[in-house]
Structures are given as C-alpha cells and as structure tokens.
Amino acid sequence: MCKNDFAAEDIGWGLLVRRGEVSNAYLWRSGQVRGYSVVIYTGGHVAEPTELDERDAAAFWGDVLALGRALEALYQPLKMNYLLLGNQIPHAHWHCVPRREAGIDPAPGGPLPFDMLDLGRQNEEQLQADTRALRQLLNDPGSRSGVRQ
C-alpha cells in the first residue's frame, strides 16, 4: 500500500475522491457493496494508529469523518461500518462501508463477510458517476460533508 502513487487520481484499486490532510480517500473498485471506500494514510508507512502522533491521528480520523459524511449524504445508508484492520496489508487504512436495508445489504443486521468487499468488481460506469458526486460533496464547503476550514 505504501507503493501507491498518491498523486494519481486512479490507483487501480480505486478512484480518488478526496486528498485529505494526512490521507487520501478512494471509492473502491472491488467488492459487491456500492459506495465501499478506503481512506489510506499517506504520511509514510504506519501499521498501527498508535504510531501516529496526536496531530496526525486527529487529522486521519478527520479525513475519515469527512468521507463518512459524504457517503451518508450520497447513499443514505442505514448504518456506516468503519473497519481499521490491516491484517493482510499492515498499513494504516480505514474501510468505510455503507450498509443498507434487507434485500440490498448482503448481510442485513449482521457483520459483513469480508468477501463482499474483496470479491467481484463495481460497475465502472456507476463507479465513475459516484466518484464525481462524492468529489462534489467533499469539495462543497456548504454541504454537511464539505471540508471545514
């Protein structure tokens, strides 16, 4: 994950929706859950959030919250799941997953099997449209999800 070109708008795995203070947010291509996104710490290799100083830890969480607000505004989920795992890729990154109602959510009311995030691929046309919408939400200071100065 450290080898990603964080200046790029497309890192292969996902499309950039926001450059944050210490991390980048991407709408992810893999998985079966529309809106699945990942926020990756860009300030160097860090495996655990406890390795961050207080300022970077607060900024990292702030970047995650900005994305979460935009995801809520666009997808209107019943619940957001935030996962900071790093078991397979030991680099600080948050998985942000909008959860929906029964019939749409692959595991309503329960934990989401990680295969739902890993297997399959998002529809590219929908992914591109959602990327544009999220970028607009994240860059509009008047919106609830906009970056606060």
Side-chain angles (χ1 to χ4, degrees):
M1 196 166 275
C2 295
K3 295 178 182 169
N4 284 319
D5 177 4
F6 292 119
E9 301 250 330
D10 184 339
I11 60 169
W13 293 341
L15 298 172
L16 180 73
V17 293
R18 180 176 186 259
R19 290 186 205 289
E21 190 174 337
V22 298
S23 57
N24 286 351
Y26 300 91
L27 189 58
W28 227 231
R29 281 196 167 93
S30 69
Q32 302 166 42
V33 178
R34 184 174 169 213
Y36 170 39
S37 302
V38 177
V39 179
I40 304 171
Y41 181 74
T42 58
H45 177 68
V46 171
E48 302 296 338
T50 53
E51 296 174 34
L52 298 171
D53 64 28
E54 294 301 316
R55 184 198 149 312
D56 280 1
F60 191 27
W61 182 238
D63 292 343
V64 171
L65 291 178
L67 175 65
R69 289 181 182 110
L71 293 171
E72 287 174 352
L74 182 61
Y75 300 109
Q76 300 179 350
L78 294 176
K79 173 77 176 86
M80 284 294 301
N81 286 175
Y82 298 93
L83 301 92
L84 179 66
L85 303 170
N87 298 317
Q88 292 182 350
I89 301 173
H91 182 94
H93 63 288
W94 285 93
H95 301 263
C96 303
V97 186
R99 299 296 302 270
R100 295 183 176 79
E101 64 276 356
I104 296 174
D105 193 283
L112 190 67
F114 203 77
D115 284 354
M116 293 288 124
L117 302 178
D118 203 30
L119 301 178
R121 197 128 169 114
Q122 300 292 321
N123 173 285
E124 188 68 23
E125 188 176 314
Q126 184 68 66
L127 186 81
Q128 295 285 342
D130 288 356
T131 296
R132 288 188 297 275
L134 286 169
R135 285 176 179 165
Q136 184 173 359
L137 283 166
L138 286 160
N139 291 310
D140 178 7
S143 77
R144 183 174 163 249
S145 61
V147 180
R148 294 181 183 96
Q149 300 295 332

